[in-house]
Amino acid sequence: KTDLFVQHVAPDAIEGALGVAPRIDETSNAFPDAYAGRWSGDKPLEGANFYYDAMGLIGLALQKAQIGPDGRADATSLEQAIVKAAAPPGVSVTWNEVEPGMARTVAGETIYYSGLTGPMLLDNCGSRKLGVSSEWTVAGGVVAPWTAP
């Protein structure tokens, strides 16, 4: 679901095509602007939100995991820490509060990550329980939201 896709495919081949993509809850310009400020003006693709959330969640989970004498977190401890860092109870830490969230975790506070892509509620296998999608189409050579006729 990117304009780059449309630019590299014959326009007639995809005009009117329908697609489904994960929906992103964060709609402000704060993340794209911060990203652009860091990466020479480049704006992030929507997928960057999911990658950023994954790294934010794992960073906070590593602070919660029990670290052994060898400096490593065992898999079970890390898995439990990810589940705990993904949902309440605790204080919500947003995408731009990861570093202070880590410090709060070290200080003993209970925190959880509230990402760019919406709630991070996980099932027993670690898959996201809650997720919504958006529908899109190619209209006039651009990716546009699709609505049922």
Side-chain angles (χ1 to χ4, degrees):
K1 183 189 166 193
T2 68
D3 292 325
L4 193 59
F5 166 71
V6 175
Q7 293 170 11
H8 288 89
V9 178
D12 293 341
I14 57 172
E15 185 66 26
L18 299 177
V20 178
R23 189 176 83 203
I24 303 211
D25 285 354
E26 173 65 39
T27 58
S28 77
N29 286 328
F31 179 70
D33 289 348
Y35 185 101
R38 171 63 177 88
W39 297 106
S40 304
D42 288 344
K43 293 287 185 173
L45 299 175
E46 281 186 1
N49 295 45
F50 293 95
Y51 296 124
Y52 190 93
D53 278 353
M55 292 299 100
L57 182 60
I58 195 73
L60 291 168
L62 283 168
Q63 290 295 325
K64 290 178 179 276
Q66 294 180 10
I67 306 298
D70 61 355
R72 301 171 121 184
D74 71 272
T76 301
S77 174
L78 184 55
E79 179 183 343
Q80 292 170 352
I82 289 171
V83 170
K84 288 179 182 174
V91 177
S92 172
V93 171
T94 60
W95 70 270
N96 57 348
E97 300 172 322
V98 173
E99 188 173 353
M102 291 174 150
R104 293 173 81 172
T105 299
V106 170
E109 288 187 55
T110 301
I111 57 93
Y112 67 94
Y113 183 67
S114 179
L116 293 160
T117 59
M120 304 291 285
L121 303 176
L122 307 176
D123 66 16
N124 290 339
C125 294
S127 296
R128 205 169 188 167
K129 276 199 254 188
L130 181 63
V132 290
S133 60
S134 63
E135 294 78 30
W136 55 273
T137 187
V138 177
V142 297
V143 174
W146 179 80
T147 53

